[in-house]
Amino acid sequence: MALAFDEFGRPFIIIKEQEQKTRLRGLEAQKANISAGKAIARILKTSLGPKGMDKMLQSPDGDVTITNDGATILEQMDVDNQIAKLMVELSRSQDYEIGDGTTGVVVMAGALLEQAELLLERGIHPIRIAEGYEMASRIAFEHMEKIAQKFDYGVSNFEPLVQTCMTTLSSKIVNRCKRNLAEIAVKAVLAVADLERKDVNLDLIKVEGKVGGKLEDTELIYGILVDKDMSHPQMPKQIEDAKIAILTCPFEPPKPKTKHKVDIDTVEKFQNLRQQEHKYFDDMVQQCKDVGATLVICQWGFDDEANHLLMHRNLPAVRWVGGVELELIAIATGGRIVPRFQELTPEKLGKAGLVREKAFGTTKDRMLYIEHCANSRAVTIFIRGGNKMMIEETKRSIHDALCVARNLIRNNRIVYGGGSAEISCSIAVEAAADRHPGVEQYAIRAFADALDAVPMALAENSGLQPIETLSAVKSQQIKENNPYCGIDCNDVGTNDMREQNVFETLIGKQQQLLLATQVVKMILKIDDVISPSEY
Ligand code: ADP
């Protein structure tokens, strides 16, 4: 601190910014960063694989989330450390690009950091480690291409897609009905996929959930689901070949914008007014009927009189439908949103093969299914479950399964799971290390050891001896020249992952490798950490 004076002679204090900061340099900085990254990886390690544990997270306002999804765990953990934030970002980018493998990528990065720490202690420069890692990741990336397999699928033959989605779901809380959910995810993706262009617009798949029922009741609806019911209990519950008027104008007489006074001092005047009002309603209903609408979906409410009249004139109606849903309905049914009754024309009506109202058990809950829509291939996955937490977790798991199915449609190559691909890459990288004359050789070998972290974590989480199991599987892979041997987490009796049908997408696994290597390289290259001090 220093005392200085301004041009008017007033004293002021200069605080030297740098003194207020803590600073870590060189090896100390790298070690601190590595231990922060490792700490995050350690948390996620126990969640990996079909026998992985779940985490319970409580938000500041008391909401509880129970999940097994790496990206969600990290997202909800309130991490302060900058390097830890990088790991969170890493998991998020895997989620964004691929949608699955968010735990695996962090475990992999953690293992790479751990190995790097050992190399740093042996005096190898971080840049050499980073370069070695880069070379090794390229070798592993190419080796994955070699062991990957292609499979054919079609709209009628989608079993391989289902099997791959089942691998994703088998490590989630919802694995009890993974077959069901995997089929739903695959059918949903195929419904909206453009198979010629090999592209899928996941925005067309709406995932809805409602507490109640069983997880097994989760269904795929070829259309739109709206959490609303018919405005009058006596209106028909099912309409076939519906022509839908989608309105943003209310069913009510126009209201004067400024204050007006109506003097009603005789019975005739009152009756006159009532008749006028009645006529308004009647005209509105008539206008809808004239254009041929058989169902009205309205953004606004309408009072009892209008409701009664609609029922009487046999025009079913739904009220208070939100703007977003209204738009979705308009897109799906090929209709137009109409802001005024006068503007209604037959072409502006939406068309749906079936609109039905469904009640759930003994509750008052009812929902509207709009199916077989004219235009769009939009589908809805409707999740049922015992409580809100379960529904939220199912939504996250379904998201992963949808992403996997989409990835397979984009690129139908797979590698086998259960750590088999990692072990095979580890063997290949290890072999390649000997061919490199420089110091990078150590880093390449360390990369091979880091690749073993995923199968080891899988074994450990399944209650197996990690080192014994890994070495047994590795020697089996070499002996039998079979890159499909992995960890038999579920104690099926064979560790050939082809027989167990445990698949993962090639692009997902490759992305994991690339992302983990990039982040670790980034962390290794930081040798100066300047941060504001605690006080
Ligand atoms: P992530 O969030 O990274 O997808 P998961 O907890 O879903 O993590 O675990 C995925 C790992 O579990 C993958 O390495 C996968 O190969 C493995 N796995 C999934 N199902 C099985 C199974 N039935 N047997 C052995 N390994 C499995």
Side-chain angles (χ1 to χ4, degrees):
M1 278 196 299
L3 193 64
F5 295 90
D6 66 6
E7 62 262 44
F8 304 109
R10 288 178 301 210
F12 63 92
I13 294 170
I14 301 169
I15 299 172
K16 285 199 187 114
E17 272 287 304
Q18 293 299 324
E19 281 174 17
Q20 287 286 312
K21 307 215 171 195
T22 54
R23 195 163 176 183
L24 284 175
R25 284 184 221 200
L27 205 55
E28 212 183 324
Q30 272 130 4
K31 286 204 172 153
N33 291 343
I34 287 177
S35 69
K38 268 169 39 187
I40 294 286
R42 217 176 304 130
I43 297 171
L44 287 199
K45 208 166 167 182
T46 55
S47 300
L48 188 75
K51 292 280 170 73
M53 297 299 219
D54 306 326
K55 310 277 174 202
M56 185 188 237
L57 301 133
Q58 192 178 1
S59 74
D61 51 7
D63 255 2
V64 172
T65 308
I66 301 177
T67 182
N68 178 289
D69 183 48
T72 314
I73 298 170
L74 291 183
E75 194 92 1
Q76 305 229 346
M77 252 167 36
D78 205 6
V79 290
D80 230 4
N81 184 288
Q82 299 310 314
I83 297 297
K85 278 187 188 154
L86 268 183
M87 301 292 266
V88 177
E89 208 50 54
L90 164 70
S91 175
R92 200 180 292 157
S93 21
Q94 174 82 14
D95 195 32
Y96 183 72
E97 289 280 334
I98 303 291
D100 183 41
T102 50
T103 318
V105 69
V106 176
V107 172
M108 180 73 210
L112 286 173
L113 287 174
E114 208 169 315
Q115 293 295 332
E117 196 175 21
L118 298 177
L119 295 179
L120 284 175
E121 266 164 20
R122 289 169 73 179
I124 298 180
H125 195 275
I127 293 297
R128 307 304 286 270
I129 304 178
E131 277 168 11
Y133 276 3
E134 179 66 41
M135 286 178 202
S137 83
R138 235 175 292 141
I139 298 166
F141 190 90
E142 278 157 22
H143 184 71
M144 279 225 185
E145 302 247 324
K146 275 190 222 143
I147 58 169
Q149 291 199 341
K150 226 180 197 160
F151 64 80
D152 287 325
Y153 65 89
V155 180
S156 52
N157 162 35
F158 53 75
E159 184 59 25
L161 299 179
V162 175
Q163 291 288 354
T164 320
C165 288
M166 270 165 69
T167 305
T168 304
L169 293 172
S170 66
S171 53
K172 310 279 188 237
I173 300 176
V174 295
N175 64 8
R176 180 164 53 91
C177 60
K178 59 179 174 184
R179 170 97 220 169
N180 244 350
L181 295 179
E183 273 180 19
I184 288 177
V186 170
K187 282 183 189 160
V189 167
L190 284 177
V192 303
D194 184 342
L195 289 179
E196 251 165 47
R197 281 178 44 229
K198 288 185 184 273
D199 199 16
V200 182
N201 182 1
L202 286 187
D203 288 342
L204 291 174
I205 303 176
K206 193 173 159 215
V207 183
E208 281 273 340
K210 199 171 188 70
V211 176
K214 301 192 293 284
L215 197 55
E216 284 82 358
D217 297 335
T218 299
E219 59 179 334
L220 176 67
I221 297 156
Y222 289 93
I224 302 233
L225 189 66
V226 189
D227 196 358
K228 289 279 173 299
D229 50 1
M230 295 290 179
S231 62
H232 197 288
Q234 284 169 25
M235 283 175 181
K237 302 273 176 268
Q238 191 161 326
I239 304 159
E240 276 165 27
D241 287 326
K243 303 215 168 31
I244 310 168
I246 307 163
L247 300 173
T248 51
C249 44
F251 260 101
E252 61 182 20
K255 287 197 179 104
K257 289 258 176 347
T258 47
K259 274 191 182 164
H260 283 264
K261 208 168 146 204
V262 183
D263 272 330
I264 300 174
D265 41 20
T266 60
V267 174
E268 289 78 47
K269 275 189 187 165
F270 177 71
Q271 275 172 348
N272 217 342
L273 186 74
R274 256 193 62 82
Q275 255 170 16
Q276 279 289 336
E277 238 182 39
H278 192 85
K279 189 168 171 333
Y280 265 121
F281 287 137
D282 215 38
D283 285 349
M284 289 168 183
V285 176
Q286 193 55 46
Q287 269 164 336
C288 293
K289 292 216 105 170
D290 283 347
V291 292
T294 54
L295 173 70
V296 178
I297 291 184
C298 193
Q299 191 173 20
W300 301 104
F302 27 84
D303 62 20
D304 284 346
E305 192 170 348
N307 199 8
H308 183 79
L309 193 74
L310 281 164
M311 196 272 291
H312 217 73
R313 303 278 309 263
N314 205 9
L315 184 61
V318 186
R319 55 185 157 179
W320 293 311
V321 178
V324 180
E325 280 163 330
L326 215 61
E327 257 174 54
L328 253 176
I329 295 171
I331 295 171
T333 60
R336 298 275 295 274
I337 297 175
V338 178
R340 261 180 302 202
F341 286 97
Q342 293 84 332
E343 289 179 19
L344 264 175
T345 56
E347 308 84 62
K348 289 184 180 167
L349 298 180
K351 292 177 192 62
L354 181 67
V355 178
R356 63 194 166 101
E357 185 190 275
K358 191 172 167 189
F360 297 103
T362 51
T363 59
K364 272 192 294 188
D365 278 343
R366 278 188 287 264
M367 284 181 118
L368 205 67
Y369 289 57
I370 303 175
E371 292 168 292
H372 311 303
C373 299
N375 235 352
S376 163
R377 297 164 303 179
V379 295
T380 307
I381 297 176
F382 182 40
I383 297 170
R384 304 305 314 276
N387 55 41
K388 201 169 132 249
M389 277 173 275
M390 194 67 196
I391 296 217
E392 291 302 317
E393 176 65 2
T394 313
K395 275 190 189 172
R396 286 189 286 270
S397 309
I398 282 273
H399 164 258
D400 282 17
L402 289 173
C403 289
V404 166
R406 176 201 57 188
N407 295 345
L408 281 176
I409 285 179
R410 285 190 183 160
N411 180 345
N412 61 346
R413 294 169 76 188
I414 48 149
V415 289
Y416 289 87
S420 62
E422 283 89 349
I423 297 175
S424 176
C425 285
S426 164
I427 296 170
V429 173
E430 179 91 48
D434 299 336
R435 292 196 294 274
H436 280 269
V439 182
E440 285 84 9
Q441 170 181 131
Y442 287 91
I444 298 176
R445 214 167 274 135
F447 193 96
D449 287 341
L451 278 167
D452 289 341
V454 170
M456 278 225 270
L458 285 175
E460 197 170 346
N461 292 345
S462 317
L464 302 167
Q465 292 286 347
I467 298 178
E468 276 92 340
T469 317
L470 175 70
S471 39
V473 175
K474 214 173 202 179
S475 69
Q476 193 184 350
Q477 278 214 8
I478 297 174
K479 204 163 22 156
E480 296 175 8
N481 196 17
N482 175 1
Y484 313 121
C485 293
I487 308 291
D488 179 15
C489 296
N490 291 333
D491 207 12
V492 178
T494 164
N495 55 15
D496 192 326
M497 290 297 142
R498 273 178 307 182
E499 286 170 33
Q500 288 209 24
N501 283 332
V502 177
F503 311 136
E504 281 178 272
T505 55
L506 172 68
I507 46 175
K509 268 270 167 285
Q510 285 182 326
Q511 187 76 7
Q512 272 187 343
L513 269 182
L514 292 185
L515 286 177
T517 314
Q518 290 309 321
V519 165
V520 169
K521 271 174 62 190
M522 193 193 282
I523 294 175
L524 284 176
K525 284 186 178 172
I526 300 169
D527 77 337
D528 204 343
V529 181
I530 306 167
S531 48
S533 70
E534 299 278 303
Y535 52 89

